[in-house]
mmCIF file of all heavy atoms in Angstrom:
data_model
loop_
_atom_site.group_PDB
_atom_site.id
_atom_site.type_symbol
_atom_site.label_atom_id
_atom_site.label_comp_id
_atom_site.label_asym_id
_atom_site.label_seq_id
_atom_site.Cartn_x
_atom_site.Cartn_y
_atom_site.Cartn_z
ATOM 1 N N LEU C 664 82.660 85.635 126.977
ATOM 2 C CA LEU C 664 81.557 84.956 127.651
ATOM 3 C C LEU C 664 82.034 84.501 129.056
ATOM 4 O O LEU C 664 81.355 84.726 130.059
ATOM 5 C CB LEU C 664 81.128 83.710 126.882
ATOM 6 C CG LEU C 664 80.275 83.890 125.648
ATOM 7 C CD1 LEU C 664 80.263 82.603 124.830
ATOM 8 C CD2 LEU C 664 78.854 84.273 126.014
ATOM 9 N N GLN C 665 83.193 83.893 129.067
ATOM 10 C CA GLN C 665 83.761 83.400 130.313
ATOM 11 C C GLN C 665 83.980 84.506 131.327
ATOM 12 O O GLN C 665 83.703 84.367 132.511
ATOM 13 C CB GLN C 665 85.110 82.780 129.991
ATOM 14 C CG GLN C 665 85.387 81.475 130.640
ATOM 15 C CD GLN C 665 86.695 80.853 130.172
ATOM 16 O OE1 GLN C 665 87.513 81.501 129.492
ATOM 17 N NE2 GLN C 665 86.892 79.610 130.521
ATOM 18 N N THR C 666 84.424 85.633 130.790
ATOM 19 C CA THR C 666 84.710 86.792 131.650
ATOM 20 C C THR C 666 83.403 87.335 132.263
ATOM 21 O O THR C 666 83.339 87.588 133.473
ATOM 22 C CB THR C 666 85.367 87.918 130.799
ATOM 23 O OG1 THR C 666 86.536 87.363 130.186
ATOM 24 C CG2 THR C 666 85.764 89.092 131.645
ATOM 25 N N VAL C 667 82.337 87.472 131.441
ATOM 26 C CA VAL C 667 81.067 87.988 131.961
ATOM 27 C C VAL C 667 80.491 87.018 133.002
ATOM 28 O O VAL C 667 80.015 87.441 134.060
ATOM 29 C CB VAL C 667 80.042 88.182 130.832
ATOM 30 C CG1 VAL C 667 78.811 88.855 131.338
ATOM 31 C CG2 VAL C 667 80.627 88.936 129.678
ATOM 32 N N LYS C 668 80.621 85.741 132.694
ATOM 33 C CA LYS C 668 80.060 84.740 133.612
ATOM 34 C C LYS C 668 80.790 84.858 134.995
ATOM 35 O O LYS C 668 80.138 84.802 136.057
ATOM 36 C CB LYS C 668 80.222 83.346 133.055
ATOM 37 C CG LYS C 668 79.507 82.252 133.889
ATOM 38 C CD LYS C 668 79.715 80.896 133.216
ATOM 39 C CE LYS C 668 79.348 79.738 134.111
ATOM 40 N NZ LYS C 668 77.916 79.735 134.457
ATOM 41 N N ALA C 669 82.100 84.984 134.918
ATOM 42 C CA ALA C 669 82.861 85.065 136.200
ATOM 43 C C ALA C 669 82.509 86.331 136.956
ATOM 44 O O ALA C 669 82.409 86.350 138.166
ATOM 45 C CB ALA C 669 84.368 84.994 135.910
ATOM 46 N N MET C 670 82.296 87.412 136.234
ATOM 47 C CA MET C 670 81.889 88.664 136.895
ATOM 48 C C MET C 670 80.548 88.516 137.561
ATOM 49 O O MET C 670 80.348 88.937 138.700
ATOM 50 C CB MET C 670 81.832 89.790 135.852
ATOM 51 C CG MET C 670 83.183 90.241 135.301
ATOM 52 S SD MET C 670 83.041 91.376 133.899
ATOM 53 C CE MET C 670 82.772 92.920 134.734
ATOM 54 N N ARG C 671 79.631 87.844 136.862
ATOM 55 C CA ARG C 671 78.280 87.677 137.430
ATOM 56 C C ARG C 671 78.237 86.619 138.530
ATOM 57 O O ARG C 671 77.685 86.848 139.608
ATOM 58 C CB ARG C 671 77.313 87.256 136.310
ATOM 59 C CG ARG C 671 75.853 87.125 136.778
ATOM 60 C CD ARG C 671 75.013 86.468 135.711
ATOM 61 N NE ARG C 671 75.383 85.074 135.462
ATOM 62 C CZ ARG C 671 74.886 84.327 134.477
ATOM 63 N NH1 ARG C 671 74.036 84.869 133.619
ATOM 64 N NH2 ARG C 671 75.265 83.093 134.333
ATOM 65 N N ASP C 672 78.865 85.452 138.276
ATOM 66 C CA ASP C 672 78.681 84.334 139.209
ATOM 67 C C ASP C 672 79.715 84.281 140.339
ATOM 68 O O ASP C 672 79.437 83.815 141.416
ATOM 69 C CB ASP C 672 78.714 83.009 138.425
ATOM 70 C CG ASP C 672 77.544 82.901 137.436
ATOM 71 O OD1 ASP C 672 76.618 83.751 137.507
ATOM 72 O OD2 ASP C 672 77.549 82.007 136.588
ATOM 73 N N GLU C 673 80.926 84.729 140.024
ATOM 74 C CA GLU C 673 81.988 84.735 141.038
ATOM 75 C C GLU C 673 82.227 86.114 141.648
ATOM 76 O O GLU C 673 82.912 86.251 142.651
ATOM 77 C CB GLU C 673 83.310 84.217 140.476
ATOM 78 C CG GLU C 673 83.237 83.052 139.505
ATOM 79 C CD GLU C 673 82.748 81.773 140.180
ATOM 80 O OE1 GLU C 673 82.955 81.641 141.406
ATOM 81 O OE2 GLU C 673 82.110 80.971 139.493
ATOM 82 N N GLY C 674 81.768 87.123 140.935
ATOM 83 C CA GLY C 674 82.043 88.481 141.372
ATOM 84 C C GLY C 674 83.499 88.873 141.191
ATOM 85 O O GLY C 674 84.017 89.725 141.923
ATOM 86 N N THR C 675 84.175 88.262 140.216
ATOM 87 C CA THR C 675 85.557 88.603 139.986
ATOM 88 C C THR C 675 85.784 89.006 138.529
ATOM 89 O O THR C 675 85.087 88.568 137.643
ATOM 90 C CB THR C 675 86.489 87.383 140.250
ATOM 91 O OG1 THR C 675 86.018 86.282 139.496
ATOM 92 C CG2 THR C 675 86.499 87.019 141.714
ATOM 93 N N ILE C 676 86.812 89.830 138.344
ATOM 94 C CA ILE C 676 87.227 90.189 136.983
ATOM 95 C C ILE C 676 88.397 89.340 136.599
ATOM 96 O O ILE C 676 88.924 88.565 137.418
ATOM 97 C CB ILE C 676 87.535 91.690 136.838
ATOM 98 C CG1 ILE C 676 88.653 92.096 137.819
ATOM 99 C CG2 ILE C 676 86.297 92.529 137.052
ATOM 100 C CD1 ILE C 676 89.242 93.473 137.556
ATOM 101 N N LEU C 677 88.881 89.473 135.361
ATOM 102 C CA LEU C 677 90.065 88.751 134.928
ATOM 103 C C LEU C 677 91.230 89.129 135.835
ATOM 104 O O LEU C 677 91.388 90.282 136.182
ATOM 105 C CB LEU C 677 90.405 89.098 133.450
ATOM 106 C CG LEU C 677 89.503 88.494 132.405
ATOM 107 C CD1 LEU C 677 89.773 89.146 131.046
ATOM 108 C CD2 LEU C 677 89.697 86.999 132.314
ATOM 109 N N GLY C 678 91.986 88.135 136.257
ATOM 110 C CA GLY C 678 93.097 88.386 137.199
ATOM 111 C C GLY C 678 92.669 88.170 138.637
ATOM 112 O O GLY C 678 93.503 88.120 139.511
ATOM 113 N N GLY C 679 91.349 88.085 138.881
ATOM 114 C CA GLY C 679 90.877 87.682 140.185
ATOM 115 C C GLY C 679 90.423 88.790 141.131
ATOM 116 O O GLY C 679 89.856 88.477 142.189
ATOM 117 N N ASP C 680 90.591 90.053 140.790
ATOM 118 C CA ASP C 680 90.124 91.111 141.676
ATOM 119 C C ASP C 680 88.605 91.009 141.859
ATOM 120 O O ASP C 680 87.854 90.644 140.936
ATOM 121 C CB ASP C 680 90.488 92.512 141.134
ATOM 122 C CG ASP C 680 91.942 92.829 141.355
ATOM 123 O OD1 ASP C 680 92.676 91.963 141.870
ATOM 124 O OD2 ASP C 680 92.341 93.977 141.042
ATOM 125 N N ARG C 681 88.146 91.353 143.083
ATOM 126 C CA ARG C 681 86.734 91.214 143.393
ATOM 127 C C ARG C 681 85.983 92.489 143.055
ATOM 128 O O ARG C 681 86.471 93.608 143.210
ATOM 129 C CB ARG C 681 86.554 90.873 144.881
ATOM 130 C CG ARG C 681 87.192 89.574 145.319
ATOM 131 C CD ARG C 681 86.466 88.937 146.474
ATOM 132 N NE ARG C 681 85.100 88.475 146.111
ATOM 133 C CZ ARG C 681 84.864 87.330 145.480
ATOM 134 N NH1 ARG C 681 85.839 86.540 145.108
ATOM 135 N NH2 ARG C 681 83.630 86.989 145.190
ATOM 136 N N LEU C 682 84.741 92.303 142.643
ATOM 137 C CA LEU C 682 83.864 93.455 142.361
ATOM 138 C C LEU C 682 83.119 93.860 143.623
ATOM 139 O O LEU C 682 82.815 93.024 144.457
ATOM 140 C CB LEU C 682 82.841 93.058 141.275
ATOM 141 C CG LEU C 682 83.429 92.733 139.930
ATOM 142 C CD1 LEU C 682 82.352 92.068 139.033
ATOM 143 C CD2 LEU C 682 83.914 94.004 139.213
ATOM 144 N N SER C 683 82.821 95.159 143.729
ATOM 145 C CA SER C 683 82.030 95.626 144.868
ATOM 146 C C SER C 683 80.573 95.194 144.737
ATOM 147 O O SER C 683 79.875 94.952 145.674
ATOM 148 C CB SER C 683 82.127 97.144 144.987
ATOM 149 O OG SER C 683 81.687 97.749 143.771
ATOM 150 N N ALA C 684 80.118 95.094 143.450
ATOM 151 C CA ALA C 684 78.779 94.553 143.199
ATOM 152 C C ALA C 684 78.790 93.821 141.878
ATOM 153 O O ALA C 684 79.492 94.264 140.950
ATOM 154 C CB ALA C 684 77.737 95.660 143.196
ATOM 155 N N ARG C 685 78.082 92.711 141.804
ATOM 156 C CA ARG C 685 78.136 91.922 140.570
ATOM 157 C C ARG C 685 77.152 92.429 139.527
ATOM 158 O O ARG C 685 76.060 92.855 139.907
ATOM 159 C CB ARG C 685 77.788 90.457 140.912
ATOM 160 C CG ARG C 685 78.698 89.835 141.890
ATOM 161 C CD ARG C 685 78.203 88.469 142.251
ATOM 162 N NE ARG C 685 79.083 87.876 143.277
ATOM 163 C CZ ARG C 685 79.077 86.570 143.581
ATOM 164 N NH1 ARG C 685 78.237 85.762 142.981
ATOM 165 N NH2 ARG C 685 79.889 86.130 144.489
ATOM 166 N N PRO C 686 77.511 92.350 138.263
ATOM 167 C CA PRO C 686 76.542 92.691 137.230
ATOM 168 C C PRO C 686 75.466 91.612 137.136
ATOM 169 O O PRO C 686 75.793 90.420 137.357
ATOM 170 C CB PRO C 686 77.373 92.766 135.961
ATOM 171 C CG PRO C 686 78.523 91.835 136.200
ATOM 172 C CD PRO C 686 78.795 91.887 137.686
ATOM 173 N N ASP C 687 74.242 92.024 136.849
ATOM 174 C CA ASP C 687 73.138 91.058 136.723
ATOM 175 C C ASP C 687 72.804 90.967 135.232
ATOM 176 O O ASP C 687 72.111 91.820 134.689
ATOM 177 C CB ASP C 687 71.939 91.561 137.535
ATOM 178 C CG ASP C 687 70.760 90.622 137.422
ATOM 179 O OD1 ASP C 687 70.930 89.486 136.929
ATOM 180 O OD2 ASP C 687 69.640 91.044 137.797
ATOM 181 N N LEU C 688 73.333 89.926 134.598
ATOM 182 C CA LEU C 688 73.163 89.886 133.122
ATOM 183 C C LEU C 688 72.758 88.458 132.677
ATOM 184 O O LEU C 688 73.247 87.465 133.192
ATOM 185 C CB LEU C 688 74.466 90.247 132.463
ATOM 186 C CG LEU C 688 74.870 91.736 132.578
ATOM 187 C CD1 LEU C 688 76.349 91.922 132.250
ATOM 188 C CD2 LEU C 688 73.996 92.600 131.651
ATOM 189 N N PHE C 689 71.891 88.444 131.683
ATOM 190 C CA PHE C 689 71.524 87.217 131.003
ATOM 191 C C PHE C 689 72.444 87.163 129.783
ATOM 192 O O PHE C 689 72.448 88.121 128.958
ATOM 193 C CB PHE C 689 70.053 87.335 130.581
ATOM 194 C CG PHE C 689 69.436 86.042 130.075
ATOM 195 C CD1 PHE C 689 69.602 84.824 130.777
ATOM 196 C CD2 PHE C 689 68.620 86.072 128.970
ATOM 197 C CE1 PHE C 689 68.989 83.696 130.326
ATOM 198 C CE2 PHE C 689 67.983 84.885 128.508
ATOM 199 C CZ PHE C 689 68.199 83.720 129.190
ATOM 200 N N ILE C 690 73.270 86.105 129.704
ATOM 201 C CA ILE C 690 74.403 86.127 128.785
ATOM 202 C C ILE C 690 74.107 85.354 127.492
ATOM 203 O O ILE C 690 73.690 84.176 127.533
ATOM 204 C CB ILE C 690 75.671 85.552 129.460
ATOM 205 C CG1 ILE C 690 75.908 86.215 130.797
ATOM 206 C CG2 ILE C 690 76.885 85.683 128.538
ATOM 207 C CD1 ILE C 690 76.975 85.540 131.657
ATOM 208 N N GLY C 691 74.352 86.020 126.387
ATOM 209 C CA GLY C 691 74.091 85.390 125.087
ATOM 210 C C GLY C 691 75.300 85.260 124.221
ATOM 211 O O GLY C 691 76.328 85.908 124.463
ATOM 212 N N ALA C 692 75.191 84.391 123.216
ATOM 213 C CA ALA C 692 76.256 84.214 122.226
ATOM 214 C C ALA C 692 75.622 83.936 120.903
ATOM 215 O O ALA C 692 74.450 83.622 120.805
ATOM 216 C CB ALA C 692 77.166 83.040 122.629
ATOM 217 N N ALA C 693 76.433 84.074 119.847
ATOM 218 C CA ALA C 693 75.929 83.799 118.503
ATOM 219 C C ALA C 693 76.436 82.427 118.040
ATOM 220 O O ALA C 693 77.437 81.917 118.557
ATOM 221 C CB ALA C 693 76.428 84.879 117.536
ATOM 222 N N ALA C 694 75.703 81.840 117.082
ATOM 223 C CA ALA C 694 76.176 80.603 116.495
ATOM 224 C C ALA C 694 75.833 80.661 115.004
ATOM 225 O O ALA C 694 74.767 81.162 114.643
ATOM 226 C CB ALA C 694 75.530 79.404 117.157
ATOM 227 N N ASN C 695 76.739 80.163 114.189
ATOM 228 C CA ASN C 695 76.425 80.077 112.772
ATOM 229 C C ASN C 695 76.439 78.630 112.322
ATOM 230 O O ASN C 695 77.473 78.044 112.115
ATOM 231 C CB ASN C 695 77.467 80.877 111.953
ATOM 232 C CG ASN C 695 77.072 80.898 110.469
ATOM 233 O OD1 ASN C 695 76.101 80.285 110.080
ATOM 234 N ND2 ASN C 695 77.873 81.607 109.685
ATOM 235 N N PRO C 696 75.225 78.032 112.199
ATOM 236 C CA PRO C 696 75.154 76.622 111.792
ATOM 237 C C PRO C 696 75.593 76.422 110.363
ATOM 238 O O PRO C 696 75.724 75.251 109.912
ATOM 239 C CB PRO C 696 73.655 76.301 111.929
ATOM 240 C CG PRO C 696 73.063 77.457 112.671
ATOM 241 C CD PRO C 696 73.897 78.648 112.386
ATOM 242 N N PHE C 697 75.819 77.484 109.597
ATOM 243 C CA PHE C 697 76.035 77.335 108.151
ATOM 244 C C PHE C 697 77.507 77.501 107.767
ATOM 245 O O PHE C 697 77.844 77.428 106.588
ATOM 246 C CB PHE C 697 75.160 78.327 107.394
ATOM 247 C CG PHE C 697 73.746 78.248 107.833
ATOM 248 C CD1 PHE C 697 73.162 79.240 108.648
ATOM 249 C CD2 PHE C 697 72.960 77.163 107.473
ATOM 250 C CE1 PHE C 697 71.869 79.145 109.077
ATOM 251 C CE2 PHE C 697 71.639 77.057 107.912
ATOM 252 C CZ PHE C 697 71.087 78.055 108.715
ATOM 253 N N ALA C 698 78.344 77.822 108.708
ATOM 254 C CA ALA C 698 79.775 78.016 108.382
ATOM 255 C C ALA C 698 80.492 76.675 108.453
ATOM 256 O O ALA C 698 79.925 75.666 108.886
ATOM 257 C CB ALA C 698 80.391 79.012 109.350
ATOM 258 N N ASP C 699 81.719 76.667 108.017
ATOM 259 C CA ASP C 699 82.545 75.453 108.070
ATOM 260 C C ASP C 699 83.541 75.540 109.199
ATOM 261 O O ASP C 699 83.756 76.613 109.731
ATOM 262 C CB ASP C 699 83.302 75.327 106.721
ATOM 263 C CG ASP C 699 82.346 74.990 105.584
ATOM 264 O OD1 ASP C 699 81.379 74.275 105.823
ATOM 265 O OD2 ASP C 699 82.560 75.516 104.479
ATOM 266 N N PRO C 700 84.180 74.484 109.616
ATOM 267 C CA PRO C 700 83.847 73.110 109.242
ATOM 268 C C PRO C 700 82.604 72.641 110.015
ATOM 269 O O PRO C 700 82.520 72.832 111.202
ATOM 270 C CB PRO C 700 85.092 72.349 109.667
ATOM 271 C CG PRO C 700 85.816 73.195 110.658
ATOM 272 C CD PRO C 700 85.362 74.583 110.447
ATOM 273 N N LEU C 701 81.729 72.020 109.282
ATOM 274 C CA LEU C 701 80.394 71.654 109.786
ATOM 275 C C LEU C 701 80.514 70.831 111.073
ATOM 276 O O LEU C 701 79.838 71.090 112.061
ATOM 277 C CB LEU C 701 79.622 70.855 108.706
ATOM 278 C CG LEU C 701 78.260 70.323 109.083
ATOM 279 C CD1 LEU C 701 77.349 71.488 109.501
ATOM 280 C CD2 LEU C 701 77.649 69.570 107.922
#
Side-chain angles (χ1 to χ4, degrees):
Chain C
L664 283 166
Q665 223 174 12
T666 305
V667 187
K668 187 180 167 64
M670 290 170 82
R671 182 191 67 189
D672 297 349
E673 320 294 332
T675 54
I676 58 168
L677 286 168
D680 281 6
R681 298 208 68 80
L682 295 167
S683 57
R685 301 175 182 195
D687 178 14
L688 291 162
F689 191 47
I690 308 170
N695 185 358
F697 310 105
D699 290 326
L701 179 58

